[in-house]
Amino acid sequence: EDQVTQSPEALRLQEGESSSLNCSYTVSGLRGLFWYRQDPGKGPEFLFTLYSAGEEKEKERLKATLTKKESFLHITAPKPEDSATYLCAVQGGSNDYKLSFGAGTTVTVRA
Amino acid sequence: NAGVTQTPKFQVLKTGQSMTLQCAQDMNHEYMSWYRQDPGMGLRLIHYSVGAGITDQGEVPNGYNVSRSTTEDFPLRLLSAAPSQTSVYFCASSYSRTLGRRGQETQYFGPGTRLLVL
Protein backbone atom coordinates (compact mmCIF):
# COMPACT_ATOMS: atom_id res chain seq x y z
CA GLU A 1 0.00 0.00 0.00
CA ASP A 2 1.26 3.47 -0.90
CA GLN A 3 2.17 5.65 2.08
CA VAL A 4 2.98 9.35 2.41
CA THR A 5 4.37 11.08 5.50
CA GLN A 6 4.79 14.83 5.70
CA SER A 7 6.93 16.72 8.20
CA PRO A 8 6.80 18.88 10.12
CA GLU A 9 3.07 19.04 10.91
CA ALA A 10 3.32 22.81 11.42
CA LEU A 11 5.91 25.41 10.55
CA ARG A 12 6.02 29.00 11.75
CA LEU A 13 8.30 31.32 9.78
CA GLN A 14 9.23 34.94 9.89
CA GLU A 15 8.77 36.80 6.63
CA GLY A 16 11.91 36.25 4.56
CA GLU A 17 13.00 33.17 6.52
CA SER A 18 13.48 30.36 3.98
CA SER A 19 12.67 26.77 4.91
CA SER A 20 11.79 23.33 3.52
CA LEU A 21 8.91 20.90 3.90
CA ASN A 22 9.47 17.17 3.64
CA CYS A 23 7.33 14.48 1.99
CA SER A 24 8.54 10.91 2.48
CA TYR A 25 6.84 8.21 0.46
CA THR A 26 6.74 4.49 -0.20
CA VAL A 27 5.09 3.43 -3.41
CA SER A 28 5.20 0.56 -5.84
CA GLY A 29 6.35 2.18 -9.06
CA LEU A 30 6.00 5.95 -8.75
CA ARG A 31 3.95 7.44 -11.56
CA GLY A 32 3.76 10.93 -10.12
CA LEU A 33 4.25 12.97 -6.94
CA PHE A 34 1.93 15.93 -6.53
CA TRP A 35 2.09 19.06 -4.39
CA TYR A 36 -1.05 21.04 -3.53
CA ARG A 37 -1.71 24.20 -1.56
CA GLN A 38 -4.84 24.41 0.60
CA ASP A 39 -6.11 27.63 2.15
CA PRO A 40 -8.46 27.48 5.17
CA GLY A 41 -12.00 26.60 4.15
CA LYS A 42 -11.06 25.90 0.54
CA GLY A 43 -10.24 22.96 -1.65
CA PRO A 44 -6.66 21.97 -2.55
CA GLU A 45 -5.05 23.89 -5.39
CA PHE A 46 -2.59 22.11 -7.68
CA LEU A 47 1.02 23.32 -7.57
CA PHE A 48 3.40 20.76 -9.12
CA THR A 49 3.80 17.25 -10.45
CA LEU A 50 7.18 15.49 -10.32
CA TYR A 51 7.75 12.24 -12.20
CA SER A 52 11.31 11.04 -11.63
CA ALA A 53 14.19 11.41 -9.19
CA GLY A 54 16.26 14.51 -9.83
CA GLU A 55 13.38 16.48 -11.28
CA GLU A 56 12.77 20.02 -10.00
CA LYS A 57 9.97 22.52 -10.59
CA GLU A 58 9.59 26.13 -9.53
CA LYS A 59 6.75 28.58 -9.11
CA GLU A 60 7.41 32.01 -7.65
CA ARG A 61 8.95 31.39 -4.19
CA LEU A 62 8.27 27.64 -4.25
CA LYS A 63 10.60 24.95 -5.53
CA ALA A 64 9.83 21.24 -5.45
CA THR A 65 12.48 18.53 -5.72
CA LEU A 66 12.27 14.75 -5.86
CA THR A 67 14.47 11.82 -4.83
CA LYS A 68 13.66 8.12 -4.84
CA LYS A 69 12.33 8.27 -1.27
CA GLU A 70 11.24 11.84 -0.63
CA SER A 71 10.29 15.21 -2.00
CA PHE A 72 11.04 18.64 -0.63
CA LEU A 73 9.10 21.84 -1.04
CA HIS A 74 11.45 24.75 -0.54
CA ILE A 75 9.97 28.14 0.31
CA THR A 76 12.41 30.95 -0.41
CA ALA A 77 11.96 34.32 1.32
CA PRO A 78 8.33 33.57 2.22
CA LYS A 79 5.65 36.22 2.49
CA PRO A 80 2.51 36.16 4.66
CA GLU A 81 0.46 35.19 1.60
CA ASP A 82 2.40 31.91 1.46
CA SER A 83 0.64 30.87 4.68
CA ALA A 84 -1.36 27.72 3.88
CA THR A 85 -1.40 23.97 4.31
CA TYR A 86 0.77 22.18 1.76
CA LEU A 87 -0.30 18.67 0.77
CA CYS A 88 1.80 15.98 -0.88
CA ALA A 89 0.30 13.03 -2.77
CA VAL A 90 1.64 10.10 -4.77
CA GLN A 91 0.25 7.90 -7.48
CA GLY A 92 1.66 4.39 -7.63
CA GLY A 93 1.93 2.12 -10.61
CA SER A 94 -0.66 -0.33 -9.30
CA ASN A 95 -3.64 1.99 -9.67
CA ASP A 96 -4.49 4.44 -12.42
CA TYR A 97 -6.90 6.44 -10.39
CA LYS A 98 -5.91 6.69 -6.76
CA LEU A 99 -3.83 9.38 -5.13
CA SER A 100 -2.47 8.72 -1.64
CA PHE A 101 -2.23 11.95 0.36
CA GLY A 102 -0.13 12.97 3.32
CA ALA A 103 -1.71 14.82 6.24
CA GLY A 104 -0.10 18.09 5.20
CA THR A 105 2.21 20.76 6.65
CA THR A 106 0.60 23.96 7.87
CA VAL A 107 2.86 26.94 7.19
CA THR A 108 2.34 30.27 8.96
CA VAL A 109 4.42 33.23 7.83
CA ARG A 110 4.50 36.23 10.17
CA ALA A 111 5.17 39.73 8.88
CA ASN B 1 -15.72 28.34 -16.46
CA ALA B 2 -17.04 27.78 -12.96
CA GLY B 3 -14.66 24.83 -12.50
CA VAL B 4 -15.80 22.32 -9.87
CA THR B 5 -18.80 23.36 -7.81
CA GLN B 6 -20.20 21.68 -4.71
CA THR B 7 -23.44 22.15 -2.81
CA PRO B 8 -24.28 22.60 -0.02
CA LYS B 9 -21.33 24.32 1.65
CA PHE B 10 -22.39 23.19 5.09
CA GLN B 11 -24.92 20.64 6.37
CA VAL B 12 -26.03 19.31 9.73
CA LEU B 13 -27.69 15.90 9.83
CA LYS B 14 -29.10 13.68 12.51
CA THR B 15 -27.94 10.09 12.78
CA GLY B 16 -29.88 7.91 10.35
CA GLN B 17 -30.83 10.69 7.94
CA SER B 18 -29.88 10.46 4.28
CA MET B 19 -28.70 13.19 1.97
CA THR B 20 -26.98 13.87 -1.34
CA LEU B 21 -23.89 16.01 -1.79
CA GLN B 22 -23.86 17.58 -5.22
CA CYS B 23 -20.80 18.01 -7.44
CA ALA B 24 -20.63 19.44 -10.94
CA GLN B 25 -17.84 20.40 -13.34
CA ASP B 26 -17.98 22.32 -16.61
CA MET B 27 -14.57 21.35 -17.99
CA ASN B 28 -15.70 18.17 -19.80
CA HIS B 29 -13.45 16.07 -17.56
CA GLU B 30 -13.63 12.29 -17.78
CA TYR B 31 -12.42 11.56 -14.28
CA MET B 32 -14.26 12.64 -11.13
CA SER B 33 -13.77 11.60 -7.54
CA TRP B 34 -14.93 12.15 -3.98
CA TYR B 35 -12.59 12.50 -1.02
CA ARG B 36 -13.11 13.08 2.66
CA GLN B 37 -10.69 15.08 4.78
CA ASP B 38 -10.40 14.55 8.53
CA PRO B 39 -8.09 16.36 10.99
CA GLY B 40 -4.61 14.85 11.10
CA MET B 41 -5.30 12.57 8.16
CA GLY B 42 -4.73 12.91 4.47
CA LEU B 43 -7.50 13.12 1.94
CA ARG B 44 -9.04 9.67 1.48
CA LEU B 45 -10.70 8.51 -1.70
CA ILE B 46 -14.34 7.42 -1.30
CA HIS B 47 -15.53 6.70 -4.85
CA TYR B 48 -14.43 7.66 -8.32
CA SER B 49 -15.72 7.63 -11.89
CA VAL B 50 -13.85 7.42 -15.18
CA GLY B 51 -16.82 8.44 -17.29
CA ALA B 52 -20.60 8.55 -17.50
CA GLY B 53 -22.08 5.27 -16.32
CA ILE B 54 -18.81 4.01 -14.79
CA THR B 55 -18.04 4.19 -11.08
CA ASP B 56 -15.82 2.30 -8.68
CA GLN B 57 -14.92 2.17 -5.00
CA GLY B 58 -12.01 3.95 -3.44
CA GLU B 59 -10.36 3.52 -0.08
CA VAL B 60 -13.33 4.24 2.24
CA PRO B 61 -16.58 3.51 0.33
CA ASN B 62 -18.77 2.08 3.10
CA GLY B 63 -21.89 4.12 3.81
CA TYR B 64 -21.71 6.05 0.53
CA ASN B 65 -23.22 5.57 -2.93
CA VAL B 66 -22.44 7.31 -6.20
CA SER B 67 -23.76 7.40 -9.75
CA ARG B 68 -22.62 9.19 -12.91
CA SER B 69 -25.43 9.69 -15.39
CA THR B 70 -23.78 12.65 -17.13
CA THR B 71 -20.20 13.81 -17.67
CA GLU B 72 -20.86 16.96 -15.64
CA ASP B 73 -22.42 15.62 -12.44
CA PHE B 74 -21.20 13.19 -9.78
CA PRO B 75 -23.43 13.19 -6.67
CA LEU B 76 -22.45 11.44 -3.45
CA ARG B 77 -25.23 9.88 -1.39
CA LEU B 78 -25.09 9.15 2.31
CA LEU B 79 -27.52 6.32 2.89
CA SER B 80 -27.90 6.51 6.69
CA ALA B 81 -25.69 9.15 8.24
CA ALA B 82 -23.47 8.24 11.18
CA PRO B 83 -21.34 10.50 13.43
CA SER B 84 -18.24 8.86 11.91
CA GLN B 85 -19.18 10.53 8.63
CA THR B 86 -18.65 13.99 10.10
CA SER B 87 -15.99 15.37 7.80
CA VAL B 88 -15.19 17.77 4.99
CA TYR B 89 -16.00 16.31 1.58
CA PHE B 90 -14.21 17.34 -1.59
CA CYS B 91 -15.09 16.56 -5.15
CA ALA B 92 -12.33 16.62 -7.76
CA SER B 93 -12.03 16.20 -11.51
CA SER B 94 -9.33 15.85 -14.12
CA TYR B 95 -9.08 15.47 -17.86
CA SER B 96 -7.20 12.22 -17.86
CA ARG B 97 -8.32 8.90 -16.41
CA THR B 98 -4.67 8.16 -15.85
CA LEU B 99 -3.50 10.81 -13.48
CA GLY B 100 0.15 10.10 -14.11
CA ARG B 101 -0.05 10.92 -17.80
CA ARG B 102 2.16 13.92 -18.29
CA GLY B 103 0.41 17.16 -19.05
CA GLN B 104 -3.04 15.85 -18.21
CA GLU B 105 -2.70 15.24 -14.54
CA THR B 106 -3.99 18.44 -13.00
CA GLN B 107 -6.79 17.54 -10.62
CA TYR B 108 -9.17 20.38 -9.81
CA PHE B 109 -10.90 20.36 -6.45
CA GLY B 110 -14.19 21.93 -5.45
CA PRO B 111 -14.56 24.19 -2.39
CA GLY B 112 -15.82 21.39 -0.15
CA THR B 113 -18.92 20.49 1.85
CA ARG B 114 -18.65 20.53 5.63
CA LEU B 115 -20.88 17.83 7.12
CA LEU B 116 -21.75 17.47 10.79
CA VAL B 117 -23.68 14.37 11.88
CA LEU B 118 -25.19 14.55 15.34
Side-chain angles (χ1 to χ4, degrees):
Chain A
E1 184 176 326
D2 303 341
Q3 290 192 336
V4 179
T5 303
Q6 292 188 246
S7 62
E9 290 186 11
L11 188 61
R12 293 174 63 87
L13 300 172
Q14 199 68 33
E15 185 173 5
E17 178 188 1
S18 301
S19 188
S20 296
L21 285 56
N22 178 265
C23 171
S24 297
Y25 65 90
T26 56
V27 64
S28 176
L30 180 70
R31 300 180 70 163
L33 184 141
F34 303 81
W35 281 99
Y36 290 85
R37 170 191 170 122
Q38 186 174 23
D39 293 308
K42 296 190 176 181
E45 177 186 351
F46 172 78
L47 291 173
F48 306 109
T49 309
L50 301 168
Y51 295 100
S52 56
E55 191 172 359
E56 300 181 351
K57 288 193 177 176
E58 289 188 66
K59 180 179 181 180
E60 296 181 355
R61 294 174 294 282
L62 301 177
K63 179 180 179 179
T65 62
L66 181 66
T67 72
K68 289 186 177 180
K69 294 184 177 180
E70 56 192 352
S71 177
F72 292 94
L73 185 65
H74 307 276
I75 309 178
T76 302
K79 298 182 177 181
E81 52 262 42
D82 294 322
S83 297
T85 296
Y86 292 87
L87 304 176
C88 174
V90 297
Q91 185 196 12
S94 61
N95 191 314
D96 277 350
Y97 315 113
K98 181 179 180 295
L99 290 183
S100 297
F101 280 85
T105 294
T106 299
V107 175
T108 304
V109 183
R110 297 164 291 174
Chain B
N1 285 352
V4 180
T5 58
Q6 292 183 239
T7 57
K9 291 185 178 180
F10 182 71
Q11 183 72 46
V12 179
L13 291 178
K14 294 182 180 179
T15 297
Q17 287 184 316
S18 63
M19 79 160 294
T20 299
L21 281 62
Q22 301 292 342
C23 173
Q25 53 90 10
D26 61 358
M27 297 172 283
N28 201 32
H29 284 169
E30 285 186 324
Y31 176 79
M32 297 185 73
S33 56
W34 277 101
Y35 291 87
R36 60 177 290 173
Q37 186 175 40
D38 301 295
M41 302 183 71
L43 287 154
R44 292 181 292 169
L45 183 65
I46 304 171
H47 285 285
Y48 64 91
S49 168
V50 300
I54 307 170
T55 63
D56 206 346
Q57 296 181 350
E59 185 181 354
V60 287
N62 292 342
Y64 307 96
N65 268 0
V66 292
S67 60
R68 184 108 177 260
S69 57
T70 67
T71 300
E72 294 78 21
D73 301 298
F74 191 43
L76 178 72
R77 282 180 288 276
L78 279 69
L79 308 173
S80 178
S84 61
Q85 294 179 303
T86 293
S87 188
V88 182
Y89 292 84
F90 290 101
C91 179
S93 74
S94 70
Y95 175 76
S96 174
R97 56 190 289 172
T98 304
L99 291 176
R101 184 173 298 166
R102 291 179 185 239
Q104 298 179 344
E105 72 280 356
T106 301
Q107 192 163 193
Y108 297 90
F109 283 82
T113 293
R114 283 149 185 78
L115 177 67
L116 175 62
V117 183
L118 302 174

